[in-house]
Amino acid sequence: MNSALDTVFAALADPTRREILRMLLEDDMAVTDVAYPFAMSLAAISKHLAILAAAGLISQEKRGRVKWCKLEPDALRAASVWMQSFGQFEPVNLDAFEAFLAQELTPTELPEGAP
Amino acid sequence: MNSALDTVFAALADPTRREILRMLLEDDMAVTDVAYPFAMSLAAISKHLAILAAAGLISQEKRGRVKWCKLEPDALRAASVWMQSFGQFEPVNLDAFEAFLAQELTPTELPEGAP
DNA sequence: GGCATATTCAACCGATTGGTTGACGATCCC
DNA sequence: GGGATCGTCAACCAATCGGTTGAATATGCC
């Protein structure tokens, strides 16, 4: 029924894959460079990347010989929303939050740069 | 190394287990009652509950014959924090967010984490 | 052309997962 | 005591997972 959450959570359940995501948080990387710090074969990393891509957590684009991997953090949104529905620990009303955002951010002061 | 996130995300990767958590969000339940809506054996549900308990997502307390299952949403906190570290999808300044919360919530409905 | 580099494919392997069934141990209640 | 209810245990099964190795496919470079 809800296989998007299945694949996202399953992808996040492996520490190698979480570490890959953490690495991609800093910058886009080629498959070989992703594999370098890990004590496993390139083929294994290639499989992990395929799983992350299937979950939508990364995208892959081939330029020439090398395939670049890019983090797609939006794929975490559904999972995050699901988790927040249990959120006694994150008790905010999302509608109110979005209203807050809409009112707080002027067109010229984008979120990251806000003083 | 980081097996807490492993077990939590793995537990969340199964739709049956997520549905169980959703049910427990409404109220504590006995094992038999948890199993009732599912088209699978009681033993299967018992295993799912053991996995959720091992991940810390529920607690189980036996009173007489019946074993009561209780949601433990705090176990989601570590996973939620991990996910938010990727939080381009949550582009808001956290300070502003907390200010919003402080202003929006009356003192009687403060979240547990509020200062 | 020919070699090196980047990545995947295919076959295999052992361990784990999600499910079943049947037997079993507790507990409640008449 | 004895039957019904609650839940787990143990053994089994097919499918999936995470990894390996070796061959294959592109692509870049001299």
Side-chain angles (χ1 to χ4, degrees):
Chain A
M1 195 185 293
N2 205 338
S3 86
L5 285 178
D6 289 15
T7 54
V8 168
F9 281 129
L12 296 181
D14 186 278
T16 298
R17 289 193 289 263
R18 287 199 307 275
E19 174 64 10
I20 290 174
L21 293 178
R22 201 198 55 73
M23 290 161 57
L24 292 177
L25 193 51
E26 300 179 19
D27 205 356
D28 299 358
M29 296 179 78
V31 173
T32 302
D33 297 332
V34 170
Y36 178 72
F38 294 98
M40 71 182 70
S41 70
L42 185 62
I45 296 294
S46 180
K47 282 189 189 180
H48 280 305
L49 290 170
I51 290 170
L52 289 170
L57 289 163
I58 68 169
S59 59
Q60 295 181 290
E61 182 197 358
K62 192 164 183 179
R63 284 203 292 272
R65 274 192 296 194
V66 349
K67 200 170 190 176
W68 291 91
C69 304
K70 180 182 190 314
L71 188 65
E72 296 289 348
D74 273 8
L76 289 172
R77 184 171 249 140
S80 179
V81 166
W82 185 89
M83 289 178 64
Q84 290 186 5
S85 71
F86 292 87
Q88 279 85 344
F89 61 92
E90 198 77 350
V92 75
N93 174 329
L94 275 187
D95 293 339
F97 182 35
E98 290 188 10
F100 157 75
L101 286 182
Q103 134 190 341
E104 189 73 6
L105 302 173
T106 74
T108 54
E109 55 180 6
L110 292 174
E112 47 175 332
Chain B
M1 197 181 294
N2 203 340
S3 86
L5 284 178
D6 288 16
T7 54
V8 168
F9 281 131
L12 297 180
D14 186 278
T16 299
R17 289 194 289 264
R18 287 198 307 275
E19 175 64 10
I20 290 174
L21 293 178
R22 201 197 57 73
M23 291 162 57
L24 291 177
L25 193 53
E26 301 179 17
D27 206 356
D28 299 358
M29 296 180 78
V31 173
T32 302
D33 295 333
V34 169
Y36 179 73
F38 294 98
M40 71 182 70
S41 70
L42 184 60
I45 296 294
S46 180
K47 283 189 190 180
H48 280 305
L49 290 170
I51 289 169
L52 290 170
L57 289 163
I58 67 169
S59 58
Q60 294 181 288
E61 181 197 359
K62 192 165 186 178
R63 283 202 293 272
R65 274 192 297 195
V66 350
K67 198 170 189 175
W68 291 91
C69 305
K70 180 182 191 315
L71 188 65
E72 297 289 348
D74 273 7
L76 289 172
R77 184 170 248 140
S80 178
V81 166
W82 184 89
M83 288 176 62
Q84 289 186 5
S85 71
F86 291 88
Q88 282 88 339
F89 63 92
E90 200 77 347
V92 75
N93 177 330
L94 275 188
D95 293 340
F97 183 34
E98 289 187 10
F100 158 75
L101 286 181
Q103 135 191 339
E104 190 74 3
L105 300 173
T106 75
T108 54
E109 53 185 6
L110 278 179
E112 47 175 318

